[in-house]
Amino acid sequence: KTGESVGVGGAVLNGDTMTVTNSYFHENKAGNYGGAIANALTTSGSAEDTSNTLTINSSVFDNNIATNGGGAIYNAGSTDVNVTNRLFVNGSVFKNNKADGASSIGGAIYNSVPTSPGGNVSVATINGATFTGNVAATAGGAIANSGKMKIYNSNFDANGTDGNITTNVGGAIRNYHSGITSNRDATLLVSNSTFTDNVAKSFGGAVYNASVAGEDHKSVATVENSVMIGNTTTSGTAVSGGAIYGG
């Protein structure tokens, strides 16, 4: 599948329930978020809780680009407190995806917060995925999370640089509570996963976890039963966190 959008979702914009299986997304582009797919129901018009769900099974995302974030997939925070955008990724491959704008985040996936206070954060679960060669200019070479995310049994290899761009923080993953627009903690669980040869320019060659100073809500990351090999930062400072940075 190849497509282009000046807004969100270069190939697909989902606002309901969608399952994608055994599919290939190549060289899709978005001028804003979600180079291949945007999962982005912003309001339901209902007082009842609504889940907008995107499920990805056994698919490949290759060389997709978004200017601002989520080179392959954007899972949006909702401005409606009754709406939760949910993303499930199973057994899929993300390679050489890019968020290339000056302040871009999440080279492959951006799991975001609302754009205004009082909304709801996005929720993502990733199992058995492979992330290779993804890059974002600012943060999260493979993944940027500001919502709720769980990652199981996944591999992150050589994310954070493509020879032209080097991700500033979080060569593989950035977990960051982004201030007043979110009334929830940014939570990240990584379990039984492997990180090899990921690179960041300043902090967190593999994983970067940080909060906005003075905010009530925080960034909370747990990494368990996982392997870190050869992850680096290029800053050369003693506190840069070659594998993991928490600050």
Side-chain angles (χ1 to χ4, degrees):
K1 182 71 175 178
T2 299
E4 185 167 355
S5 168
V6 297
V8 299
V12 177
L13 173 60
N14 180 48
D16 198 342
T17 298
M18 177 179 289
T19 300
V20 176
T21 301
N22 295 327
S23 297
Y24 180 53
F25 292 82
H26 177 63
E27 293 187 350
N28 300 282
K29 296 181 181 180
N32 199 345
Y33 295 103
I37 301 177
N39 190 45
L41 180 64
T42 56
T43 182
S44 67
S46 171
E48 298 182 358
D49 290 343
T50 302
S51 287
N52 178 53
T53 302
L54 171 65
T55 302
I56 308 291
N57 299 317
S58 304
S59 294
V60 175
F61 293 79
D62 175 31
N63 279 287
N64 301 284
I65 300 175
T67 300
N68 292 326
I73 298 175
Y74 172 53
N75 192 40
S78 174
T79 55
D80 186 338
V81 72
N82 295 313
V83 172
T84 303
N85 287 310
R86 299 182 185 274
L87 170 66
F88 298 92
V89 176
N90 305 301
S92 295
V93 174
F94 297 81
K95 59 182 181 179
N96 303 324
N97 300 286
K98 183 186 302 184
D100 64 353
S103 300
S104 59
I105 59 178
I109 296 174
Y110 177 30
N111 193 50
S112 79
V113 295
T115 56
S116 60
N120 208 357
V121 298
S122 51
V123 178
T125 302
I126 298 168
N127 190 17
T130 298
F131 296 84
T132 303
N134 303 286
V135 63
T138 298
I143 294 173
N145 176 56
S146 292
K148 299 178 180 179
M149 178 174 282
K150 296 179 180 180
I151 301 171
Y152 303 99
N153 309 309
S154 295
N155 295 313
F156 296 81
D157 180 57
N159 299 285
T161 186
D162 66 355
N164 296 310
I165 297 172
T166 299
T167 301
N168 189 42
V169 299
I173 301 174
R174 183 213 72 166
N175 187 54
Y176 184 74
H177 175 266
S178 45
I180 61 171
T181 61
S182 175
N183 58 358
R184 306 284 192 277
D185 292 342
T187 60
L188 171 69
L189 169 66
V190 179
S191 182
N192 296 311
S193 296
T194 301
F195 296 79
T196 55
D197 299 326
N198 300 286
V199 178
K201 187 182 299 181
S202 297
F203 301 102
V207 178
Y208 175 87
N209 181 64
S211 303
V212 177
E215 289 291 329
D216 291 336
H217 295 283
K218 303 297 180 183
S219 303
V220 180
T222 301
V223 179
E224 62 182 24
N225 301 321
S226 295
V227 176
M228 305 271 175
I229 300 173
N231 303 286
T232 59
T233 60
T234 61
S235 65
T237 63
V239 293
S240 59
I244 300 175
Y245 176 86

